Amino acid sequence: MVWPMVPCRRGGRIRTLPNRAVRQSGTWLLLGFVLGVALQLQQPSLWPMGVYLGLGALGAAFGMLGRGWRARGGLGSIAWLLAGVLTGTASTGVRAVWYAGQALDPALEGVTLLVTGRVAALPTRLPHGLRFEFEVERAEHNGQAVSVPPRLLLGWYTAPFRGRPGDGAGVPADRPTSALPSVTAGDRWQLAVRLRRPHGLSNPHGFDRERWLWEKGLGATGNVRTGPRDPASHKLASTAWHPLERARQWVYEAIGARVGDTRSAGVLSALVVGNQSAIEREDWDLFRITGVAHLMAISGLHVTMFAWLAVALVGGLWRALARIWPAALLAVPAPLAAGVGGIGLATVYALFSGWEVPAQRTVIMLAVVVGLRLHARRWPWPVVWLTAMVVVLMLDPWALMHAGFWLSFVAVGILFASDPGRSLPGATGDGEAATPRWRRALSKGLGLLREQSVVTVALAPLTLMLFGQFSLVGLVANLAAIPWVTLVVTPLAMLGVFWAPLWDLAAWSVQALGLLLQWLAGWPWSAVHRAVTPWPMAVLAMAGGIVMVLRLPPVLRAAGALMVWPVLLWSPERPPPGAFEMLAIDVGQGSAVLVRTARHSLLYDTGPRYSADSDAGDRVVVPLLHALDVRLDKVVVSHSDNDHSGGMEAVRRAHPQARWLTSFDEVPQQRCVAGQRWTWDGVDFEVLHPQAQHYGPDGKGRLSSNAMSCVLHVVAGEHSAWLGGDIDAAQEVRLALDRPQMRTTVLLAPHHGSLTSSSPVLLNTLQPAWVVVQAGHLNRFNHPSPRVLARYRQRGIPWVASPDCGAAIWRSDDPEHMHCHRHAQRRYWHHPGPPALPLRPGLAPGTEEPH
């Protein structure tokens, strides 16, 4: 945007500032663009391309009106705001429609394809294989060319693939990753693959994998086929494509080869090449508890430090060149060369480190500030702030859904709002050079303390909303970690690229920091875990946090504290006494069900283990319990199969107070036995199976693992839920004949809808009003079985399945409705699922119609 300028004299130099009306119109335009992007991201489905083009034309018309109404004050501002909203919506929508047109044909899902292309990014090493992005040049099926998305996310595993993580199919990890061929960014390969459209788990407050894939431009996921009947995959050539990614991979592998401690090597890899997946999960937990997670990736602070060093280096080299070639200074003044060269090098560093949102924001803001200073101009900080935000969203509109986006921009905005007189990054005070060095050091130290205190207080509500936790030791940890990581660890890690022994020093410095963080994490109340709050309450609390740190009278700051207080007291709604809620968690090919009464909580099964280092308990169940502020009173694990017990240890660590019942425990008091009963808040719980005689003297089951499944019946008045694990038809028939009068409202489909369960006798006896099927998307077992679904249809029983429904929520005090999280939170980038059916009378939006 071209700013008309009004000259003003300051300090003997002519400085130009934008006209106030023009500055305001630009601010409204930028703000409107951000709002327009936010509105478009809420769409459950995309409009036709023509609608978005029409909105863009309408936005241009409002821009022209705003230009003509500039002197009319409020009308002009409204016109510029609408122009920004329409432009933001239109530009994001056009890109989304174009990208959606590249989706994988459903007919190509699950068939073996031969694709030729290049490895497009740094491969991620897993305990059981590799994962990498692949740019497709050509794809064939049975010798015929087919169309697939241009960019894929592929996994290459060390044994025949049995299902993707998330389907709970037990990806094998019995052979080391080194058994795979070397895969390097830029290499050209021909691979035999099977693809599927992006699909992920869908749970309240859970990770949106489909949005992540959409944002990265990955139109399909899949795996390299290595079976004896599959075409052989082979490398065709090494190419010069993706040199930056190839360099990142070289540095990543060099760090791993040099540094023996894998935990330290992971942190160094994250700091140098931005490979955050190299950091182990235990370390991420430590960094989050102590509030320093933002330092363990390329943050704005790292990029700013690099930019300052680059500006000084380029400026010094340019002045040295001038001594040899004086004409260089006449052609390009030293400030211009230093500014452009420094920002250019900082951009290269940000790209090399993965180009994450904080790095983008910093590079853009530095570029704007340096450009203004070189032209002797200055914009108000809100304009620079909004300009950087708009540029980031123009590059990646879906970054608006990132937690890192909000934490980065809100933190910078708070710093400037709390100290309007501060200079923007790169600015220098007029009298700074005359100030004694010790005073400047003391001033910077006090400034760091104040900035960290301001950010800690103001971001606490936002952190609680995004992550459900807040570090109480974060201020102390950051005061030590920020200078240590910024001035010691990161420089050593970066210089190690040129001299590898420095990586050893960097690793020791990481280990020293880890000792301090572990000590801080051991403090009582080192972190506060609260339920994730609704966004209106969180916005109010965030506004209160900002008011508390602004330079305002004490009375107003106290009012800010009152605005924050409701977030600390809020807890999610629970069922009233005499009722219960059943939440069938989406864990893929496995089972995990949360049952909540007015004051108690029970978890039935803990989900599958996905791989050697990942399970549903750690990745899905425990985070969900934290987000809902649930403290488990009891855990029932139906049987020992991986897809039901894989997350046990993670749940046990997070909820040591819970009492456990299983069908495979050596302790008699922790075995589920028919006849066990208890009542919570007017809700009755009863174990129906197995019988005491089904256990041998050594505590082991006399029946098969599936047949030993603990069966739990939860009853609240006239409505109930029947949870049967993987019980088989023989045990179903026995239970039905023993209690022919038993009825249930919700049936958790036994054995995920397998043909060996859901027997006609059980269905005829229980006569459920709903069936919930927990199964993985396109799982290899073909659960639920079409014949079992036919039994449900014949009896008029509505059913929902987790691949299409996501987490299913049912309440005994609202028995007519089954709420599907995937449908209630649907966005256009989500898997389309089966065609939507019309709602039957009484069903609310966000509920599932029976199939």
Side-chain angles (χ1 to χ4, degrees), residues 308-334:
W308 283 343
L309 295 175
V311 167
L313 177 63
V314 173
L317 293 176
W318 198 255
R319 292 183 181 90
L321 177 64
R323 297 190 184 99
I324 304 172
W325 184 30
L329 280 180
L330 296 177
V332 181

PDB file of all heavy atoms in Angstrom, residues 308-334:
ATOM      1  N   TRP A 308      20.231  -9.177  14.171  1.00  0.00           N
ATOM      2  CA  TRP A 308      21.147  -8.160  14.698  1.00  0.00           C
ATOM      3  C   TRP A 308      22.597  -8.507  14.346  1.00  0.00           C
ATOM      4  O   TRP A 308      23.364  -7.646  13.907  1.00  0.00           O
ATOM      5  CB  TRP A 308      21.002  -8.062  16.216  1.00  0.00           C
ATOM      6  CG  TRP A 308      19.785  -7.316  16.658  1.00  0.00           C
ATOM      7  CD1 TRP A 308      19.020  -6.474  15.917  1.00  0.00           C
ATOM      8  CD2 TRP A 308      19.191  -7.349  17.956  1.00  0.00           C
ATOM      9  NE1 TRP A 308      17.969  -5.982  16.658  1.00  0.00           N
ATOM     10  CE2 TRP A 308      18.057  -6.502  17.919  1.00  0.00           C
ATOM     11  CE3 TRP A 308      19.484  -8.013  19.146  1.00  0.00           C
ATOM     12  CZ2 TRP A 308      17.248  -6.294  19.032  1.00  0.00           C
ATOM     13  CZ3 TRP A 308      18.679  -7.808  20.248  1.00  0.00           C
ATOM     14  CH2 TRP A 308      17.572  -6.955  20.190  1.00  0.00           C
ATOM     15  N   LEU A 309      22.961  -9.765  14.561  1.00  0.00           N
ATOM     16  CA  LEU A 309      24.326 -10.179  14.231  1.00  0.00           C
ATOM     17  C   LEU A 309      24.590 -10.046  12.738  1.00  0.00           C
ATOM     18  O   LEU A 309      25.675  -9.610  12.316  1.00  0.00           O
ATOM     19  CB  LEU A 309      24.554 -11.618  14.685  1.00  0.00           C
ATOM     20  CG  LEU A 309      24.514 -11.876  16.195  1.00  0.00           C
ATOM     21  CD1 LEU A 309      24.639 -13.366  16.486  1.00  0.00           C
ATOM     22  CD2 LEU A 309      25.612 -11.105  16.907  1.00  0.00           C
ATOM     23  N   ALA A 310      23.603 -10.425  11.917  1.00  0.00           N
ATOM     24  CA  ALA A 310      23.787 -10.339  10.473  1.00  0.00           C
ATOM     25  C   ALA A 310      23.921  -8.898  10.015  1.00  0.00           C
ATOM     26  O   ALA A 310      24.742  -8.586   9.139  1.00  0.00           O
ATOM     27  CB  ALA A 310      22.615 -11.022   9.764  1.00  0.00           C
ATOM     28  N   VAL A 311      23.097  -7.990  10.571  1.00  0.00           N
ATOM     29  CA  VAL A 311      23.193  -6.565  10.216  1.00  0.00           C
ATOM     30  C   VAL A 311      24.575  -6.027  10.570  1.00  0.00           C
ATOM     31  O   VAL A 311      25.220  -5.323   9.773  1.00  0.00           O
ATOM     32  CB  VAL A 311      22.082  -5.762  10.911  1.00  0.00           C
ATOM     33  CG1 VAL A 311      22.357  -4.260  10.814  1.00  0.00           C
ATOM     34  CG2 VAL A 311      20.732  -6.084  10.293  1.00  0.00           C
ATOM     35  N   ALA A 312      25.057  -6.346  11.770  1.00  0.00           N
ATOM     36  CA  ALA A 312      26.385  -5.866  12.181  1.00  0.00           C
ATOM     37  C   ALA A 312      27.484  -6.449  11.293  1.00  0.00           C
ATOM     38  O   ALA A 312      28.419  -5.742  10.890  1.00  0.00           O
ATOM     39  CB  ALA A 312      26.635  -6.233  13.641  1.00  0.00           C
ATOM     40  N   LEU A 313      27.363  -7.744  10.952  1.00  0.00           N
ATOM     41  CA  LEU A 313      28.386  -8.385  10.130  1.00  0.00           C
ATOM     42  C   LEU A 313      28.402  -7.805   8.718  1.00  0.00           C
ATOM     43  O   LEU A 313      29.468  -7.450   8.190  1.00  0.00           O
ATOM     44  CB  LEU A 313      28.129  -9.891  10.078  1.00  0.00           C
ATOM     45  CG  LEU A 313      29.086 -10.706   9.199  1.00  0.00           C
ATOM     46  CD1 LEU A 313      30.510 -10.606   9.738  1.00  0.00           C
ATOM     47  CD2 LEU A 313      28.633 -12.175   9.148  1.00  0.00           C
ATOM     48  N   VAL A 314      27.226  -7.698   8.099  1.00  0.00           N
ATOM     49  CA  VAL A 314      27.167  -7.172   6.734  1.00  0.00           C
ATOM     50  C   VAL A 314      27.632  -5.716   6.705  1.00  0.00           C
ATOM     51  O   VAL A 314      28.373  -5.294   5.803  1.00  0.00           O
ATOM     52  CB  VAL A 314      25.744  -7.312   6.169  1.00  0.00           C
ATOM     53  CG1 VAL A 314      25.629  -6.608   4.816  1.00  0.00           C
ATOM     54  CG2 VAL A 314      25.374  -8.777   6.031  1.00  0.00           C
ATOM     55  N   GLY A 315      27.198  -4.919   7.711  1.00  0.00           N
ATOM     56  CA  GLY A 315      27.630  -3.522   7.753  1.00  0.00           C
ATOM     57  C   GLY A 315      29.138  -3.399   7.894  1.00  0.00           C
ATOM     58  O   GLY A 315      29.780  -2.569   7.222  1.00  0.00           O
ATOM     59  N   GLY A 316      29.725  -4.215   8.777  1.00  0.00           N
ATOM     60  CA  GLY A 316      31.174  -4.172   8.956  1.00  0.00           C
ATOM     61  C   GLY A 316      31.913  -4.588   7.699  1.00  0.00           C
ATOM     62  O   GLY A 316      32.909  -3.955   7.301  1.00  0.00           O
ATOM     63  N   LEU A 317      31.453  -5.645   7.029  1.00  0.00           N
ATOM     64  CA  LEU A 317      32.102  -6.093   5.799  1.00  0.00           C
ATOM     65  C   LEU A 317      31.964  -5.058   4.690  1.00  0.00           C
ATOM     66  O   LEU A 317      32.892  -4.852   3.903  1.00  0.00           O
ATOM     67  CB  LEU A 317      31.508  -7.438   5.355  1.00  0.00           C
ATOM     68  CG  LEU A 317      31.800  -8.641   6.263  1.00  0.00           C
ATOM     69  CD1 LEU A 317      31.061  -9.884   5.758  1.00  0.00           C
ATOM     70  CD2 LEU A 317      33.299  -8.919   6.327  1.00  0.00           C
ATOM     71  N   TRP A 318      30.798  -4.403   4.651  1.00  0.00           N
ATOM     72  CA  TRP A 318      30.597  -3.386   3.602  1.00  0.00           C
ATOM     73  C   TRP A 318      31.510  -2.185   3.811  1.00  0.00           C
ATOM     74  O   TRP A 318      32.068  -1.640   2.852  1.00  0.00           O
ATOM     75  CB  TRP A 318      29.139  -2.960   3.569  1.00  0.00           C
ATOM     76  CG  TRP A 318      28.755  -2.268   2.286  1.00  0.00           C
ATOM     77  CD1 TRP A 318      28.545  -0.936   2.092  1.00  0.00           C
ATOM     78  CD2 TRP A 318      28.538  -2.891   1.021  1.00  0.00           C
ATOM     79  NE1 TRP A 318      28.208  -0.676   0.796  1.00  0.00           N
ATOM     80  CE2 TRP A 318      28.202  -1.872   0.099  1.00  0.00           C
ATOM     81  CE3 TRP A 318      28.615  -4.210   0.575  1.00  0.00           C
ATOM     82  CZ2 TRP A 318      27.931  -2.126  -1.227  1.00  0.00           C
ATOM     83  CZ3 TRP A 318      28.339  -4.461  -0.754  1.00  0.00           C
ATOM     84  CH2 TRP A 318      28.006  -3.425  -1.638  1.00  0.00           C
ATOM     85  N   ARG A 319      31.678  -1.787   5.054  1.00  0.00           N
ATOM     86  CA  ARG A 319      32.581  -0.662   5.325  1.00  0.00           C
ATOM     87  C   ARG A 319      34.026  -1.064   5.043  1.00  0.00           C
ATOM     88  O   ARG A 319      34.828  -0.251   4.576  1.00  0.00           O
ATOM     89  CB  ARG A 319      32.416  -0.205   6.771  1.00  0.00           C
ATOM     90  CG  ARG A 319      31.059   0.446   7.046  1.00  0.00           C
ATOM     91  CD  ARG A 319      30.965   0.964   8.481  1.00  0.00           C
ATOM     92  NE  ARG A 319      29.665   1.555   8.743  1.00  0.00           N
ATOM     93  CZ  ARG A 319      28.619   0.880   9.201  1.00  0.00           C
ATOM     94  NH1 ARG A 319      28.737  -0.425   9.472  1.00  0.00           N
ATOM     95  NH2 ARG A 319      27.461   1.479   9.412  1.00  0.00           N
ATOM     96  N   ALA A 320      34.385  -2.309   5.341  1.00  0.00           N
ATOM     97  CA  ALA A 320      35.728  -2.770   5.011  1.00  0.00           C
ATOM     98  C   ALA A 320      35.943  -2.786   3.504  1.00  0.00           C
ATOM     99  O   ALA A 320      37.022  -2.445   3.003  1.00  0.00           O
ATOM    100  CB  ALA A 320      35.952  -4.160   5.605  1.00  0.00           C
ATOM    101  N   LEU A 321      34.902  -3.188   2.753  1.00  0.00           N
ATOM    102  CA  LEU A 321      34.999  -3.179   1.305  1.00  0.00           C
ATOM    103  C   LEU A 321      35.197  -1.759   0.779  1.00  0.00           C
ATOM    104  O   LEU A 321      35.912  -1.543  -0.215  1.00  0.00           O
ATOM    105  CB  LEU A 321      33.742  -3.810   0.698  1.00  0.00           C
ATOM    106  CG  LEU A 321      33.646  -3.806  -0.834  1.00  0.00           C
ATOM    107  CD1 LEU A 321      34.761  -4.664  -1.436  1.00  0.00           C
ATOM    108  CD2 LEU A 321      32.272  -4.334  -1.273  1.00  0.00           C
ATOM    109  N   ALA A 322      34.572  -0.782   1.468  1.00  0.00           N
ATOM    110  CA  ALA A 322      34.663   0.605   1.013  1.00  0.00           C
ATOM    111  C   ALA A 322      36.090   1.129   1.078  1.00  0.00           C
ATOM    112  O   ALA A 322      36.453   2.041   0.327  1.00  0.00           O
ATOM    113  CB  ALA A 322      33.734   1.484   1.836  1.00  0.00           C
ATOM    114  N   ARG A 323      36.886   0.570   2.003  1.00  0.00           N
ATOM    115  CA  ARG A 323      38.273   1.024   2.070  1.00  0.00           C
ATOM    116  C   ARG A 323      39.056   0.607   0.815  1.00  0.00           C
ATOM    117  O   ARG A 323      40.016   1.270   0.421  1.00  0.00           O
ATOM    118  CB  ARG A 323      38.942   0.431   3.315  1.00  0.00           C
ATOM    119  CG  ARG A 323      38.319   0.877   4.627  1.00  0.00           C
ATOM    120  CD  ARG A 323      39.167   0.459   5.818  1.00  0.00           C
ATOM    121  NE  ARG A 323      38.517   0.795   7.074  1.00  0.00           N
ATOM    122  CZ  ARG A 323      37.828  -0.058   7.806  1.00  0.00           C
ATOM    123  NH1 ARG A 323      37.695  -1.315   7.393  1.00  0.00           N
ATOM    124  NH2 ARG A 323      37.270   0.327   8.936  1.00  0.00           N
ATOM    125  N   ILE A 324      38.633  -0.502   0.234  1.00  0.00           N
ATOM    126  CA  ILE A 324      39.291  -0.978  -0.981  1.00  0.00           C
ATOM    127  C   ILE A 324      38.624  -0.401  -2.225  1.00  0.00           C
ATOM    128  O   ILE A 324      39.282  -0.050  -3.203  1.00  0.00           O
ATOM    129  CB  ILE A 324      39.260  -2.522  -1.021  1.00  0.00           C
ATOM    130  CG1 ILE A 324      39.895  -3.097   0.243  1.00  0.00           C
ATOM    131  CG2 ILE A 324      39.940  -3.060  -2.264  1.00  0.00           C
ATOM    132  CD1 ILE A 324      39.737  -4.589   0.373  1.00  0.00           C
ATOM    133  N   TRP A 325      37.307  -0.302  -2.154  1.00  0.00           N
ATOM    134  CA  TRP A 325      36.517   0.166  -3.308  1.00  0.00           C
ATOM    135  C   TRP A 325      35.542   1.239  -2.819  1.00  0.00           C
ATOM    136  O   TRP A 325      34.398   0.962  -2.500  1.00  0.00           O
ATOM    137  CB  TRP A 325      35.771  -1.010  -3.925  1.00  0.00           C
ATOM    138  CG  TRP A 325      35.004  -0.667  -5.168  1.00  0.00           C
ATOM    139  CD1 TRP A 325      35.281   0.281  -6.087  1.00  0.00           C
ATOM    140  CD2 TRP A 325      33.795  -1.314  -5.614  1.00  0.00           C
ATOM    141  NE1 TRP A 325      34.363   0.316  -7.088  1.00  0.00           N
ATOM    142  CE2 TRP A 325      33.421  -0.687  -6.828  1.00  0.00           C
ATOM    143  CE3 TRP A 325      33.021  -2.362  -5.124  1.00  0.00           C
ATOM    144  CZ2 TRP A 325      32.284  -1.063  -7.545  1.00  0.00           C
ATOM    145  CZ3 TRP A 325      31.902  -2.733  -5.848  1.00  0.00           C
ATOM    146  CH2 TRP A 325      31.539  -2.085  -7.039  1.00  0.00           C
ATOM    147  N   PRO A 326      35.980   2.507  -2.708  1.00  0.00           N
ATOM    148  CA  PRO A 326      35.133   3.574  -2.166  1.00  0.00           C
ATOM    149  C   PRO A 326      33.834   3.762  -2.931  1.00  0.00           C
ATOM    150  O   PRO A 326      32.840   4.227  -2.357  1.00  0.00           O
ATOM    151  CB  PRO A 326      36.031   4.816  -2.287  1.00  0.00           C
ATOM    152  CG  PRO A 326      37.419   4.276  -2.323  1.00  0.00           C
ATOM    153  CD  PRO A 326      37.329   2.971  -3.040  1.00  0.00           C
ATOM    154  N   ALA A 327      33.823   3.425  -4.204  1.00  0.00           N
ATOM    155  CA  ALA A 327      32.595   3.621  -4.979  1.00  0.00           C
ATOM    156  C   ALA A 327      31.442   2.774  -4.462  1.00  0.00           C
ATOM    157  O   ALA A 327      30.270   3.063  -4.740  1.00  0.00           O
ATOM    158  CB  ALA A 327      32.857   3.296  -6.450  1.00  0.00           C
ATOM    159  N   ALA A 328      31.757   1.716  -3.700  1.00  0.00           N
ATOM    160  CA  ALA A 328      30.687   0.862  -3.179  1.00  0.00           C
ATOM    161  C   ALA A 328      29.765   1.627  -2.249  1.00  0.00           C
ATOM    162  O   ALA A 328      28.538   1.470  -2.283  1.00  0.00           O
ATOM    163  CB  ALA A 328      31.291  -0.343  -2.456  1.00  0.00           C
ATOM    164  N   LEU A 329      30.340   2.500  -1.388  1.00  0.00           N
ATOM    165  CA  LEU A 329      29.511   3.281  -0.478  1.00  0.00           C
ATOM    166  C   LEU A 329      28.669   4.296  -1.219  1.00  0.00           C
ATOM    167  O   LEU A 329      27.570   4.644  -0.789  1.00  0.00           O
ATOM    168  CB  LEU A 329      30.393   3.984   0.558  1.00  0.00           C
ATOM    169  CG  LEU A 329      30.878   3.136   1.735  1.00  0.00           C
ATOM    170  CD1 LEU A 329      31.734   3.969   2.671  1.00  0.00           C
ATOM    171  CD2 LEU A 329      29.714   2.535   2.495  1.00  0.00           C
ATOM    172  N   LEU A 330      29.194   4.825  -2.327  1.00  0.00           N
ATOM    173  CA  LEU A 330      28.417   5.779  -3.104  1.00  0.00           C
ATOM    174  C   LEU A 330      27.261   5.080  -3.819  1.00  0.00           C
ATOM    175  O   LEU A 330      26.161   5.632  -3.919  1.00  0.00           O
ATOM    176  CB  LEU A 330      29.327   6.474  -4.127  1.00  0.00           C
ATOM    177  CG  LEU A 330      30.456   7.327  -3.537  1.00  0.00           C
ATOM    178  CD1 LEU A 330      31.320   7.895  -4.649  1.00  0.00           C
ATOM    179  CD2 LEU A 330      29.885   8.450  -2.678  1.00  0.00           C
ATOM    180  N   ALA A 331      27.493   3.865  -4.288  1.00  0.00           N
ATOM    181  CA  ALA A 331      26.440   3.134  -4.985  1.00  0.00           C
ATOM    182  C   ALA A 331      25.387   2.609  -4.018  1.00  0.00           C
ATOM    183  O   ALA A 331      24.181   2.726  -4.252  1.00  0.00           O
ATOM    184  CB  ALA A 331      27.045   1.983  -5.788  1.00  0.00           C
ATOM    185  N   VAL A 332      25.858   2.021  -2.911  1.00  0.00           N
ATOM    186  CA  VAL A 332      24.946   1.457  -1.902  1.00  0.00           C
ATOM    187  C   VAL A 332      25.453   1.881  -0.537  1.00  0.00           C
ATOM    188  O   VAL A 332      26.489   1.373  -0.083  1.00  0.00           O
ATOM    189  CB  VAL A 332      24.874  -0.082  -1.985  1.00  0.00           C
ATOM    190  CG1 VAL A 332      23.904  -0.616  -0.948  1.00  0.00           C
ATOM    191  CG2 VAL A 332      24.483  -0.543  -3.375  1.00  0.00           C
ATOM    192  N   PRO A 333      24.770   2.815   0.138  1.00  0.00           N
ATOM    193  CA  PRO A 333      25.228   3.240   1.462  1.00  0.00           C
ATOM    194  C   PRO A 333      25.288   2.071   2.440  1.00  0.00           C
ATOM    195  O   PRO A 333      24.543   1.082   2.316  1.00  0.00           O
ATOM    196  CB  PRO A 333      24.178   4.274   1.883  1.00  0.00           C
ATOM    197  CG  PRO A 333      23.557   4.735   0.608  1.00  0.00           C
ATOM    198  CD  PRO A 333      23.590   3.554  -0.317  1.00  0.00           C
ATOM    199  N   ALA A 334      26.176   2.181   3.417  1.00  0.00           N
ATOM    200  CA  ALA A 334      26.364   1.095   4.385  1.00  0.00           C
ATOM    201  C   ALA A 334      25.085   0.739   5.130  1.00  0.00           C
ATOM    202  O   ALA A 334      24.795  -0.447   5.322  1.00  0.00           O
ATOM    203  CB  ALA A 334      27.483   1.464   5.356  1.00  0.00           C
TER     204      ALA A 334
END
